[in-house]
Structure formats: structure tokens, C-alpha cells
Amino acid sequence: MNAIKALLPLAASLLLSGLLVSTAATAADAPKVVVSIKPIHSLVAAIMQGVGTPDLIVDGAASPHTYALKPSNARSLQQAQVVFWVGPGMEAFLQKPLSSLGSNATIVELDQAPGIAKLKFREGGAFEPHDDGDGDEAPAGDSRGHDHSDHDHGEFDTHLWLDPHNAKAMVAEITTSLVAADPVNALTYETNQKTLNGKLDALDAEIASTLAPVKDKPFIVFHDAYQYFEHRYGVRVSGSITVSPETIPGAQRVAEIHSKVADLGATCVFAEPQFEPKLVNVVLEGTSAKSGVLDPEAATLPQGPELYFDLMRGIASSLKSCLAAQG
């Protein structure tokens, strides 16, 4: 009996050592995954929980519209086994690096995921013309499902994640890609996918309920990034100050939006945290409209699996807070 007692500490020590080795091996075996922007990183991080943590390229308050690749980003791409991005319409700065630095990785372009619904850029009236490089105008609000033969990325709004249904289509593609790259952890990825899909369905219902009282009130946004959110929840974006946040609109454009705000009566004009707020103040001058802030790319949020949910709830909350105050 005494001999057995003497062996117990040794057995416990060996068991603990085995667990530590197993944990270290799992961490070492996790695929090297790199993700372009925060909203997509959040979805990938949720699928990878229990296996590893993906690297993020556009971190902090940076915007993919104005981002310049850092040396640390280049090293991550060189080491990557899988890279997730929306596509060249969103992260134009990644096109050349992916073809060179990421040549050994599986590159997953999520705007081509099966089941993604795409909306063409709006043009004319309160929406600034968008130069897609082919000279053709896109009808406002035109939508369609995914078509693998279509690679005219400049034609489509790439803020795809702002509809939870598109997020679920991305999650399916993310899961498929991770299972292919790392079949040992397939069960974990697939289990996480089911959990995440349930959370996305609940989020969708929650936001619809939050916005129901204000869905008919018109508002102006800094740039036209919200079509997917608008179509999903029936809110009324009546115009944008600019179509591309990296391009400062001219005086005529600002005057047009100022007139639009005045014509609408009491409404809201929403800025974005990364971009020049003075333009919004000019648009508001002399009107009864109020200002708010929307953050479609999660510039102000900490990265991680919950970021996507905080992002979507934040947009809904900001809209309701400003629009409900208009009576």
C-alpha cells in the first residue's frame, strides 16, 4: 500500500508532462493562417478556437483602403499555409504581395465563396459615381448570387460581411479550407462552425428587432459601405458623402449632400472613426441633422472571435440611438 502511495506523485507528474507535450504538439501542429482585415479575422478566429490563432494584417485603427504592407506582414505571408482575404476590390494593397510572398500558401478569396450575395455599387443622385474601370454604370441596388465566372471585382461593393447571411457563407468556405489544410483538426473546425452559425442566426434576429422602430428614417453615411446591412434590415441610406474614403470629395459634391440633408429634414449623418470628421461637420452646417459614428471595418474594436458580433451590434446601436432621437 505504501509503495502504491509512493508511486502516485510520479504517475501524476508523468500524466501532467504528457498533457503538456500533447498541448505543445497541438500548438506546433496548428496551421499558419493569415487574415487580411478584422471582420474576417474574427470569423476565422472563431473557427480556429481550440486549435490556434490566426495572424491579422490590417490591425489597430488602420483601414484597408489606405493600408501599406509592413515588414512583419510580409514575413507572415511568407510563412503562411492559408491566407484569407475578401478580394482585390477590398484589399487592393495585397494583390501583388499575395502573388509573390504568399506563393506557397493556399489563398482563399472570400468574395468568391459559394452562397455569397453581391450588390453592385450605387451610382447617381446622392451616390457618387464609382469608377470600375469598364465605363459601365451599375443599377442601384442590383443584386445577385455568387457566380464563379464573374471576376469583375470593381463592379461590386465588397463590404460583404455586413450581412450575417454572407458571413455564414464565408464561414462555410473558411471551414472547408481549414479542414483541407489541417484534416487532423477537422472535427474541431466543424464543431466550431455549427456553434458560430447558431450565434450568427441569433445575432441576425437581434439586430432586426433593434432596428425595427427606426428602419424607415433616412440617413447619410460617410462612404457607401452599408448596402448589405441596409438590404438585410430595411434601413434607409439616402446618400454617401464619398464612395471611396481615400478620395476627398470636391466642393460641389459636399454641396450636393448638404442639400440632400436639408431636403430630408431632420436626419442623421454618420462619420467613420478613421476618416476626416470635418467633412461631416460641413454637411451638417445649417441643418437640423445630428451626427453619429459608424465603424463598418471595426477600426475601434479589439481583434478576436467576438469582434464580428460587437461590430454588427455597434452599427445597429449607433443607428438606433441617432435616428430614434429625431422623433
Side-chain angles (χ1 to χ4, degrees):
M1 190 67 179
N2 289 335
I4 294 174
K5 286 183 179 180
L7 288 173
L8 284 176
L10 176 61
S13 176
L14 290 172
L15 178 60
L16 178 59
S17 298
L19 288 172
L20 291 173
V21 169
S22 176
T23 301
T26 300
D29 292 340
K32 177 73 171 178
V33 178
V34 177
V35 189
S36 58
I37 60 175
K38 282 182 173 181
I40 307 306
H41 179 270
S42 178
L43 299 175
V44 176
I47 297 299
M48 291 188 69
Q49 281 187 307
V51 176
T53 302
D55 289 348
L56 173 64
I57 294 178
V58 185
D59 60 1
S63 166
H65 300 286
T66 55
Y67 195 75
L69 204 69
K70 300 174 183 177
S72 58
N73 302 146
R75 287 193 294 273
S76 289
L77 289 174
Q78 285 179 318
Q79 298 166 4
Q81 293 170 259
V82 185
V83 178
F84 293 102
W85 69 322
V86 176
M90 173 56 64
E91 309 99 326
F93 74 92
L94 269 180
Q95 280 187 269
K96 289 182 180 178
L98 284 178
S99 64
S100 54
L101 298 172
S103 58
N104 294 323
T106 298
I107 310 297
V108 184
E109 186 179 328
L110 291 170
D111 68 0
Q112 299 299 309
I116 287 282
K118 295 180 182 178
L119 299 172
K120 290 188 176 183
F121 282 107
R122 293 181 280 205
E123 299 186 9
F127 295 97
E128 189 175 25
H130 183 274
D131 181 10
D132 62 10
D134 62 9
D136 294 331
E137 286 200 1
D142 186 22
S143 64
R144 69 180 188 183
H146 171 74
D147 178 358
H148 275 283
S149 66
D150 170 49
H151 279 260
D152 294 328
H153 305 278
E155 234 184 297
F156 294 94
D157 183 346
T158 51
H159 296 83
L160 301 161
W161 61 87
L162 293 179
D163 181 344
H165 284 206
N166 276 349
K168 287 179 73 172
M170 291 183 186
V171 163
E173 186 76 349
I174 290 164
T175 304
T176 297
S177 301
L178 289 174
V179 167
D182 181 25
V184 171
N185 289 302
L187 181 59
T188 299
Y189 297 138
E190 289 164 354
T191 300
N192 287 344
Q193 179 189 11
K194 291 177 183 177
T195 300
L196 184 53
N197 281 342
K199 291 179 65 176
L200 289 169
D201 287 339
L203 176 72
D204 189 24
E206 176 190 331
I207 292 176
S209 176
T210 296
L211 294 173
V214 297
K215 62 189 299 184
D216 295 323
K217 296 179 181 292
F219 59 95
I220 302 290
V221 294
F222 182 77
H223 85 291
D224 193 19
Y226 305 91
Q227 279 199 86
Y228 296 98
F229 195 92
E230 179 184 356
H231 278 247
R232 184 70 197 146
Y233 300 111
V235 293
R236 290 179 58 194
V237 178
S238 295
S240 62
I241 296 174
T242 179
V243 69
S244 302
E246 69 271 22
T247 303
I248 301 300
Q252 182 180 349
R253 175 70 187 163
V254 173
E256 288 172 358
I257 296 300
H258 184 277
S259 297
K260 181 72 173 177
V261 173
D263 291 343
L264 286 169
T267 185
C268 294
V269 179
F270 290 95
E272 291 179 21
Q274 312 102 306
F275 303 111
E276 182 55 69
K278 290 180 182 177
L279 287 173
V280 173
N281 295 334
V282 172
V283 168
L284 286 169
E285 188 176 352
T287 75
S288 58
K290 294 191 176 183
S291 65
V293 177
L294 298 177
D295 189 8
E297 291 155 10
T300 61
L301 298 174
Q303 67 185 62
E306 292 302 314
L307 174 142
Y308 181 82
F309 298 88
D310 294 338
L311 162 66
M312 295 293 285
R313 289 188 179 108
I315 292 174
S317 176
S318 293
L319 285 172
K320 184 177 180 181
S321 178
C322 189
L323 294 174
Q326 303 305 302

